[in-house]
Amino acid sequence: MKDARVIELEEVTIRFSGDSGDGMQLTGTLFSDATALLGNDISTFPDYPSEIRAPQGTVGGVSGFQVQFGHKQVNTPGDFAHVLIAMNPAAIKANAAFMNPGGTIIYDSDLLTEKGLKKAGFTTDDPFAECNLEDFFKIPVPISSLTKESLKDFGLDNKSVLRSKNMFALGLVCWMFNRPLEYIEEFIKAKFAKKPVVVDSNIKVLHDGFNYGYTMQHMTPSYIVHPANIENGTYRNVNGNHATAWGLLAAAEKSGLELFIGSYPITPATDILQALAERKDLGVKSFQAEDEIAGVTSAIGAAFAGELAVTTTSGPGLALKSEAIGLAVMAELPLVVVNVQRGGPSTGLPTKTEQADLLQALYGRNGESPVVVLAASTPSDCFWYAYKAAKIALERMVPVILLTDGFLANGTEPWKIPSMSELPTITPRIAKDAATFESYKRDSKTLARDWAFPGMAGFEHRIGVLEKNASGTVSQDPANHQENSGIREGKVQQVVDMVPDIDLCGDKDGDVLVVGWGGTYGHLISAVRELRKEGKNVSLAHFNYIKPLPGNTREIFSKFKKIIVCELNLGQFASYLRNALPEFTYYQNNKLKGLPFTVNELKESVYKLLED
């Protein structure tokens, strides 16, 4: 046997891919968690098929999980995979365009049969030639047959045996990248504690995959990726949905209120509802409603009753909630609406990412119905912007829409867990003086009204869907409606005093300012850093506060020769900026494929702008 090849890497991108029943999401998650525990910085991108169960072996049914990790800061899950683990021919075909030149493909050679190739749409018996993958390092591994051999003495049926083949692949990749198996073993023992045979069989296959790599060192090189130099603290690997849930929990504790969530399950937002439903120990009241309208109206009722009220959804659900959000605007109640954006319109691409709900969040209600709009930019900072959304809602008595997206919701990264003492205070505007209380009496600075709820003696009042005067009496007076409409808009704009100035990545002036918002941050910051290393005079302004915009936005824009707005839609933020700041010219880079930008795509758009 030849000596093992040990290759040291700065960073590496791995993609696990197979049928939706092959356990690729679990495999990728376990590998990512083990990697995070070793101290590498990571970023992940789960990629699900939209169909619940597409025909087995077809390209439409391919499920993928991509992870990039390294010993320096990692902001994206990688443009292209250095290593592809393909569990069937369809996975080869689906991922051919996402491979790094000269990369490695590990594939289940047992499934390169005539039937398997035909299902995947290949017309020859050489899938690599058809996909122009001849120059890649290919490692055939009989994963299916080796899994069967590993479990031949367990008395399991063939279907149960093949469910474990993802553990063989995981063990092999753990050997290749020097990942310890202890965490994965602990997970298996905990998850299947009531099924000892499942625990024993999966651990056996996991170790056999690891040992296969060790035995076949001559064909499966070993890689070393040293831990990242990150700030000391307690970390956990977190996705955006769970970070959002925990941000809301922290806000409830900090504000001294109980948390209520009323939601209807919808991809990809459901995990927030599920995560909060598990926290009755922290006083959470969760209501899985029969539809989107019931979800949001129950939350409005909870806001009226004096609780931190939240409803969660995705794009189609936000449309259904729009009338009730208008009620919250008119009643001036604190409400947090989390919209995890996905591909549309209608059902669209429910498991893919998009940023096409921005204009809906800003304007998608009848009448002049202003709300505060925020957008999270990484999986971990979903915690911070969920917390901030609650703070704004409770202190300014205004509905807040927090935009995340499918990429952030399902992607993961290491998150340094903050202590509660590090978080800013939240002081709800609870009414204190019954003698002077009027339901729509305004604070002169913030234009916010005080919050009184049932059970507060002396604070009885009227609010509702109809326009009212300061005392809460229904008013059809035209001048009163004009005044109140201006006050509601002004109250949202006044939130700017809670919005920090936008920080630039790069110089304060230059040739090109790259502008983005929300979940495009990781790819944009990576592209701008690479461009600056190449000597390009390029900076990045990334927005988390959409309405109102940061107070220094106009000043920042004025210092650059050209501005390019990059977003995963057909130009919604660019259109909003043209309306808010019309004195500037905005170039656009738009992508609408259900996928995040790649760093290369972004760099090419800036190169073109610099050349013009």
Side-chain angles (χ1 to χ4, degrees):
M1 185 171 63
K2 297 180 181 178
D3 292 337
R5 289 175 291 159
V6 179
I7 303 169
E8 191 168 323
L9 298 174
E10 293 277 322
E11 59 189 15
V12 66
T13 301
I14 303 175
R15 188 171 182 88
F16 299 88
S17 189
D19 266 320
S20 54
D22 284 339
M24 293 296 94
Q25 305 305 323
L26 176 61
T27 305
T29 299
L30 289 174
F31 182 86
S32 301
D33 288 348
T35 295
L37 284 170
L38 276 183
N40 292 119
D41 200 12
I42 69 168
S43 177
T44 72
F45 176 47
D47 189 16
Y48 306 89
S50 295
E51 296 178 72
I52 293 175
R53 192 62 188 265
Q56 192 173 21
T58 63
V59 173
V62 170
S63 178
F65 188 104
Q66 186 160 306
V67 54
Q68 181 173 211
F69 60 98
H71 81 269
K72 59 182 182 179
Q73 187 177 25
V74 172
N75 295 107
T76 78
D79 285 2
F80 303 102
H82 298 95
V83 179
L84 169 67
I85 295 86
M87 302 298 282
N88 61 16
I92 297 171
K93 189 169 191 175
N95 294 287
F98 303 104
M99 286 298 297
N100 202 55
T104 298
I105 303 172
I106 301 170
Y107 62 96
D108 187 350
S109 56
D110 288 329
L111 298 185
L112 256 64
T113 62
E114 182 180 352
K115 181 180 179 181
L117 292 167
K118 187 176 180 180
K119 276 188 175 182
F122 289 108
T123 57
T124 69
D125 60 359
D126 189 348
F128 301 104
E130 283 195 47
C131 294
N132 296 316
L133 297 172
E134 295 101 322
D135 294 333
F136 289 74
F137 183 51
K138 296 176 282 291
I139 304 175
V141 181
I143 296 175
S144 296
S145 58
L146 287 173
T147 301
K148 292 178 182 178
E149 177 65 22
S150 175
L151 301 182
K152 65 181 181 181
D153 298 326
F154 278 77
L156 299 171
D157 61 82
N158 189 61
K159 186 176 182 181
S160 297
V161 168
L162 291 178
R163 280 182 183 151
S164 299
K165 65 181 184 178
N166 63 323
M167 289 296 108
F168 187 97
L170 179 57
L172 173 58
V173 178
C174 283
W175 180 85
M176 291 178 66
F177 290 93
N178 289 280
R179 306 293 102 171
L181 302 183
E182 288 78 10
Y183 166 78
I184 300 170
E185 291 176 359
E186 290 174 7
F187 175 89
I188 293 170
K189 290 175 183 176
K191 183 174 179 63
F192 302 108
K194 297 181 180 180
K195 299 178 180 179
V197 68
V198 176
V199 172
D200 294 341
S201 60
N202 277 282
I203 290 178
K204 170 85 163 47
V205 173
L206 177 71
H207 280 269
D208 285 350
F210 189 94
N211 293 332
Y212 179 87
Y214 180 78
T215 304
M216 303 297 288
Q217 298 178 43
H218 63 286
M219 61 180 292
T220 56
S222 177
Y223 300 88
I224 294 177
V225 182
H226 293 292
N229 182 21
I230 58 177
E231 183 182 355
N232 289 335
T234 302
Y235 288 80
R236 69 169 293 163
N237 198 30
V238 66
N239 66 34
N241 276 343
H242 283 95
T244 299
W246 295 334
L248 296 168
L249 287 168
E253 180 176 336
K254 202 75 171 182
S255 63
L257 303 176
E258 291 190 334
L259 175 61
F260 176 91
I261 180 170
S263 294
Y264 178 75
I266 183 172
T267 301
T270 305
D271 284 348
I272 304 174
L273 172 61
Q274 291 176 333
L276 290 175
E278 294 171 355
R279 300 322 305 251
K280 293 180 177 64
D281 59 319
L282 297 178
V284 176
K285 300 181 182 76
S286 61
F287 171 51
Q288 181 176 316
E290 66 269 25
D291 56 41
E292 295 283 2
I293 298 171
V296 65
T297 51
S298 68
I300 291 172
F304 176 70
E307 299 197 339
L308 172 52
V310 178
T311 187
T312 56
T313 191
S314 189
L318 185 63
L320 292 169
K321 293 180 190 293
S322 61
E323 182 180 0
I325 295 172
L327 164 59
V329 171
M330 181 63 86
E332 299 187 37
L333 286 167
L335 175 69
V336 176
V337 181
V338 181
N339 178 34
V340 186
Q341 298 168 98
R342 72 189 205 189
S346 186
T347 305
L349 304 171
T351 62
K352 310 298 182 182
T353 196
E354 202 165 274
Q355 289 186 301
D357 295 346
L358 177 60
L359 295 183
Q360 182 181 197
L362 288 165
Y363 307 119
R365 295 162 295 282
N366 66 297
E368 293 295 333
S369 186
V371 300
V372 175
V373 180
L374 309 182
S377 54
T378 71
S380 64
D381 81 4
C382 287
F383 173 91
W384 167 249
Y385 289 102
Y387 186 92
K388 187 73 172 187
K391 178 178 171 67
I392 292 171
L394 293 170
E395 293 187 348
R396 298 302 175 91
M397 294 294 289
V398 64
V400 179
I401 295 179
L402 171 61
L403 297 173
T404 70
D405 57 51
F407 173 65
L408 298 181
N410 297 313
T412 64
E413 65 179 359
W415 171 55
K416 184 184 177 185
I417 302 173
S419 66
M420 290 300 294
S421 62
E422 295 173 345
L423 300 176
T425 58
I426 297 179
T427 307
R429 284 194 62 89
I430 298 174
K432 294 180 174 62
D433 187 352
T436 61
F437 175 74
E438 290 184 293
S439 54
Y440 287 99
K441 185 179 180 180
R442 312 289 177 176
D443 174 83
S444 59
K445 180 181 179 182
T446 66
L447 301 179
R449 74 177 188 88
D450 286 342
W451 190 17
F453 31 86
M456 294 176 62
F459 290 91
E460 294 81 5
H461 63 285
R462 288 166 293 185
I463 62 171
V465 298
L466 295 173
E467 188 72 273
K468 297 177 176 63
N469 60 23
S471 66
T473 302
V474 173
S475 171
Q476 303 295 323
D477 177 33
N480 180 67
H481 177 58
Q482 173 89 31
E483 181 183 7
N484 283 344
S485 296
I487 288 172
R488 287 188 287 266
E489 175 64 27
K491 180 173 62 170
V492 170
Q493 294 299 336
Q494 205 59 29
V495 171
V496 73
D497 63 17
M498 300 178 73
V499 175
D501 282 349
I502 194 161
D503 287 327
L504 289 179
C505 171
D507 299 325
K508 295 182 179 180
D509 54 32
D511 294 327
V512 174
L513 178 65
V514 177
V515 171
W517 65 277
T520 57
Y521 172 77
H523 296 85
L524 290 174
I525 191 71
S526 298
V528 168
R529 283 173 178 161
E530 290 187 15
L531 287 163
R532 290 182 62 80
K533 285 181 180 179
E534 296 170 11
K536 308 299 183 185
N537 195 356
V538 178
S539 298
L540 170 66
H542 198 81
F543 287 80
N544 298 108
Y545 297 89
I546 308 296
K547 184 170 183 177
L549 290 166
N552 66 333
T553 302
R554 176 176 277 105
E555 178 187 357
I556 290 290
F557 283 8
S558 68
K559 303 293 180 62
F560 289 85
K561 298 175 183 177
K562 293 181 179 179
I563 301 170
I564 182 168
V565 184
C566 305
E567 49 187 327
L568 300 178
N569 55 46
L570 295 179
Q572 295 188 19
F573 191 50
S575 177
Y576 174 64
L577 289 173
R578 288 188 184 100
N579 182 60
L581 301 169
E583 63 266 37
F584 302 107
T585 298
Y586 302 97
Y587 299 88
Q588 294 178 208
N589 181 10
N590 303 113
K591 182 175 182 178
L592 209 61
K593 297 182 178 180
L595 296 169
F597 282 114
T598 68
V599 174
N600 284 344
E601 288 171 342
L602 294 166
K603 289 174 66 177
E604 286 299 324
S605 66
V606 175
Y607 288 146
K608 184 176 180 181
L609 201 58
L610 288 168
E611 292 169 359
D612 289 344

